[in-house]
């Protein structure tokens, strides 16, 4: 059997976007991944689904698997011919024992490659708005362990040299010794007013930063209850945070937001929320599935010729229609000559993805807006095809018929409540959320059905954000107060509305 290969990969400090392109490529190629506590588990999504995942994480003091056994495991897996990704937080060889693992692999004759990572000091400092060097402040930088080999005393570092000889000092694993570190630096000549920062969970939505002069930092950290994992930065550059902080100034920074929406659609909303700094808990309470049978839609497609308007009120309608055309060996040309009305920009974009440009888009992106626009076009005597879900409101069909149109409204897809959503939904509410975002009436109704009385109370107490008037109306029907409503039904508008809500809250808290 041929020997495998071990990639020692730096996962970066937390934000999954901070792994290198090479690191991600290696993950995608691996058959087994051996990962640590500090490596963001979201990076495991990059690993092939059938790859084995082995957690060997350590939290302070509680070693999951001793280092010797990790070394032996890597050698063993490679000997079995596996491509192994050894994923470690930050950079694999900055206080990460990657050097030891590489030495063991080298000694055993196992081929390996090392992929550097963004180390915690670099990631956390910049996400806190602290450049580690700056010509006006410092010309040198040192990375230190604040928790040396247990057998040795912390004072074995040459404090006399480093206290004043190094401009910016960053301590890893130093929280337990913070008081001693600060005292030793001052005792060896570092000015007590030197600014210092402690950054916990740097680069993640949970990031917390505390800044204080060196003489006060230990006391303030104790009072705040800030705990590891954190790095300690000491140096004049820390003062730049006042001007440069950006990460924790984003409108939704640190807010835990529960997103309920179909799996297919949750991605865009989650990404927009995360870009604004939120911590997203995505629980799809809506599943889009094919209708139980195609008779309805097929019948309508048989009668496409002579259709005047095609009315599309969601991206699901677009995808279901085009998929069904394709299943019948047809493509967008089957729609030639039909005036296509799309309810909003997202639906129009889905159409554009199939090479179809929407002819009409209402000013108001809901059924009422669509109706108004079609009535202005004049639909009397016209034939309208309106593929929809089984849950669509009757409004459009009823009013278009009343206006003299001939309407075919086949069920092109079904909305369903996935039972698997119940547990994560309850868990999220029990853990506490700052807001719950509902993207549709069905996502909301489904969530409601999945909850017991106690959790329904929790939901009533949360900040509810809805994507539009229809969803808000459903919420009120269920006895829920909606505090945030998007101006238009897009992820961006919902994020803006949530941002405005929370910034009003925090300015009220400040005044
Ligand atoms: N190899 C890692 C360091 C591992 S040692 C790297 O290059 O970053 C573990 C220590 O790293 C923690 O005790 C803490 O001091 C620091 N650390 C790791 N991730 C961190 C994060 N996201 N924010 C703050 N400190 C972090």
């Amino acid at each position: 059997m041929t020997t495998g290969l071990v990639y020692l990969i730096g996962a970066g400090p937390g934000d999954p976007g901070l792994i290198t392109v090479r690191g991600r490529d290696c993950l995608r190629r691996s058959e087994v991944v051996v990962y640590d506590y500090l490596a963001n588990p979201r990076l495991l999504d990059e690993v092939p689904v059938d790859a084995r995942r082995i957690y060997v994480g350590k939290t302070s003091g509680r070693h999951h698997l001793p280092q010797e056994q990790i070394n032996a495991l890597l050698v063993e897996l490679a000997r079995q011919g596996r491509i192994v990704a050894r994923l470690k937080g930050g950079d694999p060889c900055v206080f990460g024992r990657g050097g030891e693992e590489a030495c063991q692999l080298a000694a055993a004759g196992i081929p390996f490659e090392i992929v550097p990572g963004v180390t915690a000091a670099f990631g956390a400092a910049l996400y806190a708005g602290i450049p580690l060097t700056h010509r006006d402040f410092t010309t040198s930088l040192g990375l230190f362990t604040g928790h040396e080999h247990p057998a040795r005393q912390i004072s074995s570092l040459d404090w006399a040299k480093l206290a004043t000889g190094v401009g910016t000092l960053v301590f890893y694993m130093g929280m337990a010794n913070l008081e001693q570190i600060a005292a030793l630096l001052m005792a060896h000549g570092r000015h007590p007013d030197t600014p210092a920062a402690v950054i916990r969970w740097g680069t993640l939505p949970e990031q917390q930063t505390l800044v204080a002069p060196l003489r006060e930092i230990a006391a303030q950290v104790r009072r705040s209850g800030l705990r590891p994992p954190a790095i300690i930065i000491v140096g004049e550059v820390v003062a730049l945070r006042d001007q440069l902080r950006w990460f924790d100034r984003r409108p939704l920074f640190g807010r835990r937001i529960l997103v309920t929406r179909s799996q297919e659609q949750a991605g865009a909303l989650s990404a927009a929320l995360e870009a604004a700094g939120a911590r997203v808990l995505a629980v799809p309470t809506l599943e889009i599935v094919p209708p139980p049978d195609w008779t309805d839609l097929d019948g309508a497609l048989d009668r496409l010729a002579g259709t005047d308007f095609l009315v599309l009120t969601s991206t699901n309608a677009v995808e279901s229609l085009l998929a069904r055309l394709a299943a019948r060996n047809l493509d967008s040309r089957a729609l030639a000559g039909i005036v296509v009305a799309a309810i909003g920009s997202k639906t129009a974009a889905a159409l554009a993805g199939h090479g179809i440009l929407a002819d009409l888009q209402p000013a108001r992106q809901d059924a009422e807006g669509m109706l108004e626009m079609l009535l202005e076009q004049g639909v009397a005597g016209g034939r309208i095809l309106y593929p929809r879900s089984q849950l669509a409101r009757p409004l459009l069909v009823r009013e278009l018929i009343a206006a003299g149109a001939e309407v075919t409204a086949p069920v092109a897809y079904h909305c369903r409540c996935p039972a698997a959503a119940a547990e994560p939904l309850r868990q999220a509410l029990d853990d506490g959320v700052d807001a719950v975002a509902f993207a549709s009436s069905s996502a909301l109704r489904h969530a409601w059905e999945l909850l017991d009385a106690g959790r329904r109370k929790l939901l009533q107490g949360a900040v509810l954000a809805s994507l539009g008037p229809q969803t808000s109306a459903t919420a009120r029907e269920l006895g829920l107060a909606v505090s945030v409503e998007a101006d238009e039904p897009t992820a961006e508008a919902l994020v803006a509305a949530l941002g405005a809500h929370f910034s009003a809250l925090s300015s009220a808290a400040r005044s």
Side-chain angles (χ1 to χ4, degrees):
M1 187 194 298
T2 52
T3 307
L5 170 71
V6 178
Y7 295 117
L8 273 172
I9 306 169
D15 180 344
L18 291 178
I19 190 170
T20 62
V21 173
R22 169 130 187 87
R24 194 173 61 181
D25 285 348
C26 293
L27 284 180
R28 288 179 179 169
R29 232 176 287 147
S30 63
E31 297 166 331
V32 187
V33 57
V34 178
Y35 65 103
D36 271 358
Y37 169 59
L38 287 171
N40 192 327
R42 266 170 75 170
L43 290 171
L44 298 180
D45 294 345
E46 299 292 340
V47 175
V49 275
D50 54 351
R52 238 178 102 192
R53 293 152 164 77
I54 305 177
Y55 178 67
V56 292
K58 310 164 191 171
T59 53
S60 181
R62 272 187 302 142
H63 286 226
H64 194 77
L65 200 64
Q67 188 63 45
E68 303 71 47
Q69 286 184 34
I70 297 176
N71 300 345
L73 175 70
L74 296 178
V75 169
E76 174 57 26
L77 289 167
R79 288 216 168 115
Q80 290 168 7
R82 300 276 182 275
I83 297 179
V84 184
R86 170 68 177 117
L87 186 64
K88 300 171 76 73
D91 180 276
C93 298
V94 174
F95 305 125
R97 307 189 74 169
E100 290 165 52
E101 291 174 17
C103 284
Q104 291 295 321
L105 295 169
I110 306 285
F112 63 88
E113 293 182 18
I114 308 180
V115 185
V118 174
T119 191
F122 296 175
L126 289 188
Y127 275 51
I130 302 171
L132 291 174
T133 72
H134 185 293
R135 271 161 52 117
D136 298 344
F137 295 91
T138 174
T139 50
S140 61
L141 165 67
L143 307 183
F144 305 92
T145 165
H147 163 85
E148 288 198 71
H149 196 280
R152 270 184 271 153
Q153 282 303 308
I154 183 169
S155 53
S156 76
L157 284 172
D158 192 341
W159 294 93
K161 285 195 176 131
L162 61 88
T164 53
V166 179
T168 307
L169 302 98
V170 184
F171 292 90
Y172 288 64
M173 300 171 282
M175 291 297 272
N177 292 327
L178 179 57
E179 189 140 15
Q180 212 183 337
I181 291 169
L184 282 163
L185 289 173
M186 290 185 287
H188 289 89
R190 195 68 180 226
H191 200 288
D193 288 340
T194 310
V198 168
I199 307 165
R200 175 173 200 243
W201 284 127
T203 78
L204 289 165
E206 296 86 344
Q207 177 173 304
Q208 281 174 280
T209 306
L210 195 154
V211 173
L214 189 53
R215 68 184 133 74
E216 278 175 25
I217 188 81
Q220 287 207 22
V221 164
R222 201 179 328 114
R223 244 175 283 140
S224 73
L226 214 60
R227 295 170 39 75
I231 53 156
I232 303 155
I233 308 179
V234 179
E236 286 64 26
V237 287
V238 170
L240 288 165
R241 172 169 156 83
D242 270 351
Q243 290 169 59
L244 299 184
R245 65 187 280 192
W246 59 275
F247 182 65
D248 45 9
R249 279 224 175 107
R250 291 170 311 153
L252 295 180
F253 175 73
R255 306 285 182 184
R256 286 167 57 92
I257 300 185
L258 174 62
V259 172
T260 61
R261 157 164 245 200
S262 72
Q263 188 96 51
E264 297 74 25
Q265 294 177 317
L269 181 55
S270 301
L273 288 166
E274 281 176 357
R279 178 160 177 215
V280 173
L281 311 157
V283 180
T285 56
L286 177 63
E287 197 174 27
I288 306 298
V289 293
D293 73 79
W294 295 106
T295 341
D296 226 17
L297 184 58
D298 280 348
L301 295 182
D302 286 339
R303 288 177 282 113
L304 264 183
T307 300
D308 299 298
F309 294 95
L310 173 60
V311 174
L312 295 163
T313 55
S314 78
T315 56
N316 296 319
V318 174
E319 300 307 339
S320 312
L321 176 68
L322 270 298
R324 194 58 197 160
L325 281 176
R328 296 169 47 126
N329 269 327
L330 292 168
D331 61 22
S332 56
R333 287 171 296 177
L335 306 174
I338 304 177
V339 173
V340 179
I343 198 158
S345 49
K346 291 278 146 37
T347 307
L351 278 164
H354 294 279
I356 301 167
L357 300 181
D359 301 293
L360 303 172
Q361 243 177 272
R364 212 178 117 184
Q365 302 186 26
D366 57 14
E368 284 77 5
M370 177 66 95
L371 177 65
E372 194 183 325
M373 181 188 72
L374 290 171
L375 294 180
E376 273 167 22
Q377 291 287 317
V379 294
R383 275 183 55 191
I384 298 179
L385 172 59
Y386 164 39
R388 60 186 177 93
S389 87
Q390 94 278 19
L391 295 178
R393 296 156 61 206
L395 173 97
L396 265 180
V397 175
R398 191 183 62 219
E399 297 301 318
L400 290 171
I401 290 175
E406 183 192 325
V407 182
T408 310
V411 171
Y413 61 96
H414 263 226
C415 298
R416 206 167 62 179
C417 176
E423 194 39 47
L425 185 65
R426 288 185 212 130
Q427 191 62 51
L429 287 168
D430 288 352
D431 292 347
V433 292
D434 293 304
V436 188
F438 287 105
S440 73
S441 291
S442 354
L444 172 52
R445 278 190 205 286
H446 290 164
W448 189 253
E449 282 158 23
L450 291 173
L451 296 175
D452 52 63
R455 266 67 167 241
R456 284 181 177 179
K457 275 232 156 52
L458 289 177
L459 192 58
Q460 278 161 337
V463 170
L464 293 194
S466 109
L467 203 61
Q470 197 52 46
T471 309
S472 301
T474 305
R476 282 188 292 269
E477 230 174 81
L478 297 172
L480 295 164
V482 176
S483 0
V484 177
E485 187 182 288
D487 292 342
E488 49 167 28
T490 61
E492 294 70 29
L494 189 61
V495 169
L498 272 165
H501 175 83
F502 284 116
S503 90
L505 268 191
S506 33
S507 32
R510 268 197 301 273
S511 58

